[in-house]
Amino acid sequence: MRLPIQSGWLLVLPFLLLVGGLFLGPILNILWLSVTDPTPGLGNYAQLVTSDTLGRILWTTIRVCVICTVFSVLFGYSIAYAMVHAAGPTQSRMLSLLLVSFWISVLVRTFSWLMLLGRNGVVNSGLEALGIISQPIPFMRNELGVLIGMIHYMVPYAVLPILASMQSIDGRVVQASRSLGATGAQTLWRVYLPLTRAGVVAASLLVFIINLGFYVIPAVLGGGKVLMVAEYISVQVLVTLQWGTAAMLAALLLFGVLTLLFIMSRFMKLSTVFGGART
Amino acid sequence: MTGPGGSLHLRSLCKRYGSYPAVDSVDLQIERGEFLTLLGPSGSGKTTLLMMIAGFQDITSGDILLDGTSIANTPAEKRNFGMVFQGYALFPHMTVKDNIAYPLSVRKRPKAEIAARVAEMLDLVRLTPFAKRFPKELSGGQQQRVALARALCFAPPVLLLDEPLGALDKKLRIEVQAQLKDIHQRVGTTFVYVTHDQEEALSMSDRIVIMQNGRIEQVGTPSDLYQQPKTAFAASFLGKSNFLRRDGAVFALRPEKIDLAPAGAGQGANKVSGAVQSVTYFGAVLKYQVAVPGMDPIEVDVDAWRGGAALPEGARVDLTWSETAAVRLTDQTL
């Protein structure tokens, strides 16, 4: 007897139910809330055009995320390049250092930055003691602080996909470019970068998407001056209890991410970007 | 078609990894327009030597001169040598046309000149219809020709080839050998070719350098090396040889230079008698293994059409050869 569906699906059914119930359900609930609370309709979404506050928050979020992505990927690319070209033992040491940084809590890292770069932090007091500056440099409690914290947190995420794409390059292709008379810069621009493009795109996407939802770092290092979407959502949910607005912003983030993925999928296979087998 | 080939002079060239000599004081003069093959087993240092000429391996000591000028400290990208890599190393993200245009476009040559030159190169390697394809859409033989066109496009004085036919099947390889030889004659560039395949070396080269353990074993034209090997290594690496010990010296004797006759029929000073151990039919030749008392078994090739029916195993035979057939080697022992 043939089942109308393949019996393998029965095995994954419990997990499908879990995912459906605990993941898709709440998301649908959010979407539902965004068009029904406090009154049915698109009132929440209309705030996007009518509210200056929301506009400013969205603009801050996008600006911070873009800058952070650019710098994280730039640093990530350099680190990955150094790792690929390091000798075997050095390379594995570098990789373990990179992985260790994943295990350090975001809170610890954030407060470390405060201690380092805050008004009375090591750097400022050191420079003052040396007489180089008379006023502490405002590193923290502003957008610069948020960017420093976020970039620092995101660099390891940027390294991994770029590293993977660099490792798949045949070293002879780079040698070929040199033997054909290309300078180092030409080889980088015309051979190396194009061949690592998938890694760069993957890293940018990953970093940008994680950035969109950042909450702790802007809250602590921004000193309340840098309000980003995630923090604003929490304020709406916990303080002002405007769940409709919060749900609308959450839905906006969700669609933003999905749109990004869709745009990327027009240019390249997403499975390649996320390290799947090349076909 | 391209500029005249350059001459290369390698002067006591050494490459050591720690105390291990990968290339051990190599002296070699490579003539303008020559097709020179570096032949040797893996680990003989031939590829390291090629990479040193290319500029991808630094030199421990010694010097490399191009047309009399030292290039030992010139980086690879400034040497202007074309190179065909093992596995071709084509740029996977560029079309055939862009691959071939690459060396000219990095030199910022005018667009019209590049287009004309690329068309010329595509024609040379007969790939004009494939100009817009990507490397992965081509067969191995076609990829190899793209690599060749790309390396010749900027009219380098010297073209270095690192086992370029290694990935091709045997039939295709013979076809490509002929094309390569033809292209060499048409462009006049000096070719330095690395291979471990003796047939490739014999069929294409003007001269062959046999290498072993980082040293040059012997240099000469294919026929010099085949007819007059100096060492047992040269004699056995290029073709097959029987080794005979006579008067405290070692001689090499090619299987096809031995006459085989039924016992009693052999004439001449150089004669041994033995019994047929085995005989194998190869179409053009019959290969006999003959057991001779007090010697290693001797291999004899007989033209199959000449000898009539093969002698059976165990048949008594006389082996004779002319005075010049056995070549005295420098080796004292084997």
Side-chain angles (χ1 to χ4, degrees):
Chain A
M1 189 190 89
R2 283 181 76 103
L3 291 169
I5 52 166
Q6 291 209 327
S7 53
W9 285 102
L10 289 176
L11 286 174
V12 290
L13 191 63
F15 304 103
L16 283 180
L17 289 177
L18 264 180
V19 169
L22 298 180
F23 185 69
L24 290 179
I27 284 180
L28 288 175
N29 188 30
I30 293 278
L31 292 180
W32 178 249
L33 270 182
S34 74
V35 287
T36 53
D37 185 284
T39 50
L42 293 173
N44 287 320
Y45 288 89
Q47 289 180 60
L48 286 176
V49 253
T50 54
S51 158
D52 285 347
T53 320
L54 269 182
R56 210 173 55 241
I57 289 168
L58 284 178
W59 169 236
T60 307
T61 307
I62 290 169
R63 187 178 64 232
V64 168
C65 288
V66 167
I67 298 175
C68 172
T69 304
V70 168
F71 280 94
S72 303
V73 170
L74 218 59
F75 291 139
Y77 201 87
S78 320
I79 294 173
Y81 188 87
M83 284 175 77
V84 164
H85 292 86
T90 319
Q91 190 176 5
S92 26
R93 264 200 301 280
M94 291 171 90
L95 194 62
S96 12
L97 280 177
L98 191 81
L99 293 178
V100 164
S101 69
F102 277 108
W103 304 332
I104 303 173
S105 145
V106 63
L107 274 173
V108 173
R109 296 164 75 162
T110 308
F111 283 108
S112 309
W113 277 117
L114 273 183
M115 296 175 72
L116 264 179
L117 295 179
R119 281 186 76 83
N120 305 312
V122 180
V123 172
N124 270 326
S125 46
L127 288 176
E128 271 177 294
L130 290 170
I132 295 170
I133 52 170
S134 53
Q135 291 286 315
I137 302 171
F139 289 114
M140 291 291 132
R141 306 211 179 278
N142 53 27
E143 196 168 309
L144 177 66
V146 175
L147 282 171
I148 291 175
M150 279 172 65
I151 293 169
H152 171 242
Y153 188 79
M154 289 319 299
V155 164
Y157 287 88
V159 170
L160 291 180
I162 296 175
L163 185 67
S165 71
M166 283 182 181
Q167 277 167 338
S168 68
I169 293 183
D170 178 357
R172 283 176 298 195
V173 170
V174 176
Q175 283 192 337
S177 169
R178 286 184 58 197
S179 80
L180 295 167
T183 62
Q186 283 172 322
T187 302
L188 180 69
W189 277 109
R190 303 189 52 175
V191 177
Y192 210 81
L193 270 178
L195 289 180
T196 49
R197 197 181 61 147
V200 170
V201 170
S204 310
L205 265 182
L206 188 69
V207 171
F208 192 82
I209 289 170
I210 297 179
N211 278 345
L212 278 178
F214 255 141
Y215 172 63
V216 172
I217 295 177
V220 176
L221 299 183
K225 285 180 230 151
V226 187
L227 200 55
M228 287 173 59
V229 170
E231 195 183 351
Y232 191 70
I233 291 176
S234 101
V235 170
Q236 301 303 308
V237 171
L238 300 175
V239 183
T240 58
L241 300 180
Q242 288 180 306
W243 282 53
T245 312
M248 179 274 290
L249 287 171
L252 197 68
L253 281 187
L254 181 66
F255 284 120
V257 169
L258 290 179
T259 312
L260 277 178
L261 287 177
F262 176 76
I263 295 171
M264 289 334 301
S265 72
R266 311 295 314 196
F267 292 103
M268 52 190 26
K269 279 180 105 96
L270 282 181
S271 61
T272 341
V273 168
F274 292 117
R278 280 158 204 260
T279 48
Chain B
M1 179 162 245
T2 51
S7 71
L8 279 172
H9 190 178
L10 314 183
R11 235 185 237 162
S12 17
L13 210 52
C14 289
K15 173 73 193 175
R16 266 183 224 97
Y17 296 107
S19 62
Y20 170 75
V23 170
D24 197 358
S25 49
V26 163
D27 279 288
L28 187 62
Q29 175 75 39
I30 303 172
E31 304 299 337
R32 214 171 274 282
E34 189 175 25
F35 194 130
L36 182 109
T37 298
L38 302 173
L39 175 69
S42 52
S44 60
K46 57 189 191 305
T47 300
T48 309
L49 185 58
L50 192 79
M51 289 298 174
M52 287 162 89
I53 299 174
F56 292 123
Q57 279 284 1
D58 37 279
I59 293 166
T60 308
S61 64
D63 203 358
I64 303 175
L65 304 151
L66 172 67
D67 296 329
T69 314
S70 171
I71 53 163
N73 296 316
T74 311
E77 56 271 29
K78 295 266 160 60
R79 290 194 187 186
N80 269 330
F81 291 173
M83 179 139 186
V84 178
F85 289 80
Q86 213 169 0
Y88 321 129
L90 296 176
F91 304 127
H93 58 296
M94 295 184 198
T95 59
V96 167
K97 206 170 118 218
D98 292 341
N99 262 285
I100 298 175
Y102 188 81
L104 296 180
S105 85
V106 296
R107 286 175 175 75
K108 304 200 165 60
R109 302 281 263 279
K111 282 223 164 59
E113 183 197 325
I114 295 180
R117 182 70 184 160
V118 169
E120 196 184 346
M121 295 316 295
L122 280 169
D123 185 52
L124 178 76
V125 296
R126 290 181 283 132
L127 282 174
T128 308
F130 300 94
K132 298 234 168 75
R133 300 258 189 111
F134 283 92
K136 63 167 187 273
E137 298 166 339
L138 300 179
S139 72
Q142 291 165 336
Q143 289 185 25
Q144 194 270 335
R145 274 141 64 196
V146 176
L148 188 66
R150 184 179 68 174
L152 284 172
C153 186
F154 57 109
V158 176
L159 181 71
L160 309 171
L161 304 103
D162 184 13
E163 309 224 11
L165 310 185
L168 305 179
D169 62 56
K170 191 165 178 177
K171 200 173 165 206
L172 192 58
R173 216 182 301 173
I174 290 167
E175 201 182 302
V176 177
Q177 279 172 30
Q179 291 169 359
L180 208 54
K181 186 75 193 151
D182 176 53
I183 288 173
H184 170 249
Q185 273 158 5
R186 284 162 62 184
V187 296
T189 306
T190 307
F191 278 34
V192 181
Y193 188 98
V194 160
T195 184
H196 62 265
D197 184 314
Q198 45 142 327
E199 279 175 36
E200 256 172 58
L202 285 172
S203 68
M204 291 191 287
S205 321
D206 292 322
R207 280 194 306 156
I208 299 173
V209 177
I210 299 184
M211 293 193 65
Q212 193 199 10
N213 298 331
R215 290 174 162 278
I216 292 182
E217 192 82 8
Q218 193 175 351
V219 186
T221 64
S223 76
D224 273 354
L225 289 185
Y226 191 81
Q227 306 299 344
Q228 300 292 328
K230 284 207 181 83
T231 64
F233 179 81
S236 59
F237 197 73
L238 205 64
K240 283 215 145 195
S241 274
N242 297 295
F243 295 107
L244 312 171
R245 286 177 203 82
R246 284 257 161 110
D247 316 325
V250 178
F251 292 83
L253 183 56
R254 298 286 183 196
E256 70 276 13
K257 293 188 180 175
I258 302 174
D259 286 319
L260 179 139
Q267 300 291 323
N270 300 305
K271 183 172 99 169
V272 293
S273 300
V276 173
Q277 205 173 40
S278 70
V279 56
T280 317
Y281 180 67
F282 279 91
V285 291
L286 283 164
K287 282 188 186 293
Y288 287 93
Q289 288 280 342
V290 178
V292 178
M295 297 175 111
D296 295 331
I298 293 181
E299 193 176 316
V300 184
D301 288 355
V302 175
D303 290 335
W305 60 274
R306 214 190 284 275
L311 292 168
E313 280 175 31
R316 306 291 305 171
V317 289
D318 284 349
L319 305 179
T320 56
W321 57 90
S322 71
E323 197 58 57
T324 53
V327 180
R328 185 175 177 149
L329 304 176
T330 55
D331 307 61
Q332 298 301 309
T333 54
L334 281 174

